[in-house]
Amino acid sequence: MNSPEQARLVQPGQFVMLKCAAGINDNPLLRRPFSVFDVDRTPGAGRPRGLVLLVKEVGAGSRMLAALKPGQEVDVLGPQGRPFDLVPGTQGGVSAACLVAGGVGIAALYLLAQRLVQHGVTPVLFYGGRTAADLVLREYFERLGLETHYTTEDASLGEAGLVTCPLDRFLKSRIRTGVRVYACGPWAMMKAAHDLSVKHRVPCEVSLEARMGCSLGACMGCVVRHLAWRWTSARSGFGTR
Ligand SMILES: Cc1cc2nc3c(=O)[nH]c(=O)nc-3n(C[C@H](O)[C@H](O)[C@H](O)COP(=O)(O)OP(=O)(O)OC[C@H]3O[C@@H](n4cnc5c(N)ncnc54)[C@H](O)[C@@H]3O)c2cc1C
């Protein structure tokens, strides 16, 4: 998506709101949220010139987006949401970061992986799905040279079972070595990643992908109850130190 200004501004973990229908009053009326997977850059100079998004077709809006042809325009609001906290290795004592993804949650983690590498933190990917076809865009992370742990429920790729199994083993083996967990995916997976982080006493950030109306915190459509009984907006991480 050609959008130099938004490409320049976006931070890891942020998303954009897309108006999927052509007319502002056409259905779907509300914009739909999509994570920014990557920033497209000009060859040579490397100037940001566009956003790369991952769109899974699940309903009317995402189907319209998937049917767009090159050159067609789409109304975009953003970048939205609170970015992930980046703790450089030298300042925060963080040496490794566990990126835990389920399904299209992977889209929120690639910019983060690139930024962590730049900051001298080693990202390790834990990526789970029902079947091998759910584990899309793996090659992008592999090209960054990341250690990867794949799981599928039907054993068609990687370890059979849930992504939290290799995560648990990894956290157990890296006790007190400065690990941080970042998770994005289905709620049950994020809850399990959070619980493991509490068990192993490592900081954890989750990227809450609640359904949303405005994305600005005004309509309160994406509000979720915080563990400490406070209200917080979707896409805000919570610490588990
Ligand atoms: C912050 C954020 C980032 C996202 N990033 C991506 C991304 O990078 N790639 C991607 O493919 N999708 C992403 N999603 C999900 C995406 O926004 C929805 O799939 C999309 O809005 C569906 O719109 P639709 O009109 O196609 O379907 P709708 O007709 O609105 O819904 C179709 C089905 O999807 C379900 N659904 C819709 N939104 C969500 C949601 N947020 N969580 C769970 N179920 C939902 C509905 O309950 C319904 O069953 C993200 C969501 C959020 C909140």
Side-chain angles (χ1 to χ4, degrees):
M1 196 169 71
N2 186 10
S3 181
E5 181 63 8
Q6 284 159 324
R8 193 177 60 76
L9 292 173
V10 71
Q11 295 296 316
Q14 288 192 298
F15 61 97
V16 287
M17 296 292 282
L18 303 182
K19 173 71 188 174
C20 307
I24 202 76
N25 290 322
D26 294 346
N27 270 330
L29 196 62
L30 296 177
R31 292 184 175 92
R32 299 295 198 244
F34 289 87
S35 298
V36 177
F37 175 73
D38 196 8
V39 169
D40 180 38
R41 295 175 181 276
T42 55
R47 271 195 303 278
R49 65 177 175 188
L51 304 176
V52 181
L53 309 178
L54 165 70
V55 176
K56 181 176 179 182
E57 292 180 54
V58 296
S62 48
R63 269 198 294 276
M64 285 176 184
L65 291 176
L68 285 173
K69 301 272 179 302
Q72 278 186 270
E73 291 200 347
V74 61
D75 180 273
V76 184
L77 175 71
Q80 304 293 90
R82 191 196 298 180
F84 285 117
D85 273 340
L86 291 166
V87 183
T90 46
Q91 286 173 26
V94 175
S95 61
C98 299
L99 310 187
V100 190
V104 293
I106 193 73
L109 298 174
Y110 184 58
L111 274 182
L112 176 67
Q114 294 177 57
R115 195 64 67 85
L116 288 167
V117 169
Q118 286 162 9
H119 283 193
V121 176
T122 306
V124 180
L125 179 66
F126 298 83
Y127 189 10
R130 271 194 300 274
T131 186
D134 292 333
L135 303 188
V136 296
L137 305 176
R138 305 190 298 271
E139 62 280 12
Y140 285 81
F141 293 84
E142 290 167 6
R143 276 201 294 268
L144 283 181
L146 263 58
E147 177 182 330
T148 55
H149 298 264
Y150 300 131
T151 62
T152 47
E153 288 169 41
D154 66 357
S156 52
L157 183 76
E159 186 178 329
L162 300 177
V163 74
T164 40
C165 295
L167 177 66
D168 191 21
R169 283 199 306 272
F170 182 89
L171 291 176
K172 212 178 283 172
S173 71
R174 297 291 297 264
I175 219 146
R176 286 195 271 283
T177 54
V179 179
R180 193 175 177 87
V181 172
Y182 299 89
C184 188
W187 285 63
M189 186 219 81
M190 291 195 288
K191 168 83 168 60
H194 168 262
D195 290 347
L196 284 177
S197 305
V198 171
K199 177 177 145 193
H200 294 289
R201 296 173 171 271
V202 300
C204 170
E205 272 185 60
V206 296
S207 182
L208 303 179
E209 295 200 341
R211 302 197 68 176
M212 52 178 68
C214 73
S215 80
L216 303 163
C219 75
M220 307 289 273
C222 63
V223 164
V224 293
R225 198 181 279 275
H226 191 280
L227 276 180
W229 301 106
R230 276 182 285 134
W231 295 97
T232 185
S233 277
R235 272 291 154 127
S236 57
F238 52 84
T240 59
R241 278 149 276 224

